[in-house]
Amino acid sequence: MSYVVTEGCILCKHTDCVAVCPVNCFHEGPNFLAINPDECIDCGLCEPECPLDAIVPEDSLKPEQLQFRTLNRELSQRWPIIDKSKGQLPDAERWAQAEHKLQFLER
Ligand code: SF4
Ligand code: F3S
């Protein structure tokens, strides 16, 4: 099993999560992070670090979040590793409570 980054991260990208990952399996895109499911050791350390609760264990994904399992796998293959926090995106506060952010995901 893996943990999965979900919609809440889009346009916010706080990056607090990456600092605690013992296997550096976070990958960074322009406005979202993705976890490599083949590298994640299911430790759960990252989950409480996200202020938006955007990181979810694979077996707890809601039906509408299932597409993020595929997205994390796909995007983590092509994006570079991020292993240090670098602060949130400039408009993170504005987007924190927004819904339907998937349309804004930049690849
Ligand atoms: Fe990294 Fe653990 Fe989070 Fe997986 S669950 S992404 S190994 S911190
Ligand atoms: Fe995204 Fe939360 Fe990490 S907003 S970058 S999953 S701390």
Side-chain angles (χ1 to χ4, degrees):
M1 199 187 78
S2 166
Y3 278 65
V4 177
V5 185
T6 64
E7 190 162 19
C9 181
I10 297 171
L11 290 162
C12 295
K13 207 172 75 168
H14 282 270
T15 73
D16 300 12
C17 52
V18 307
V20 300
C21 181
V23 292
N24 296 336
C25 61
F26 282 93
H27 294 252
E28 182 184 24
N31 63 9
F32 184 64
L33 294 192
I35 292 171
N36 180 340
D38 297 328
E39 298 290 331
C40 175
I41 58 170
D42 195 25
C43 70
L45 289 175
C46 56
E47 185 181 11
E49 295 300 314
C50 178
L52 302 177
D53 296 328
I55 303 175
V56 180
E58 192 173 7
D59 62 1
S60 298
L61 290 167
K62 297 175 186 155
E64 65 271 22
Q65 293 176 318
L66 286 175
Q67 58 191 320
F68 283 90
R69 196 165 47 181
T70 310
L71 269 176
N72 275 242
R73 176 176 290 281
E74 178 196 329
L75 297 173
S76 65
Q77 304 298 327
R78 62 164 104 149
W79 286 346
I81 287 174
I82 172 173
D83 59 5
K84 291 188 177 58
S85 297
K86 54 193 276 190
Q88 64 194 30
L89 288 176
D91 287 335
E93 298 304 330
R94 187 160 71 89
W95 287 103
Q97 303 306 324
E99 296 180 351
H100 309 301
K101 297 197 285 182
L102 183 54
Q103 59 188 314
F104 302 116
L105 175 63
E106 291 179 43
R107 294 153 181 265

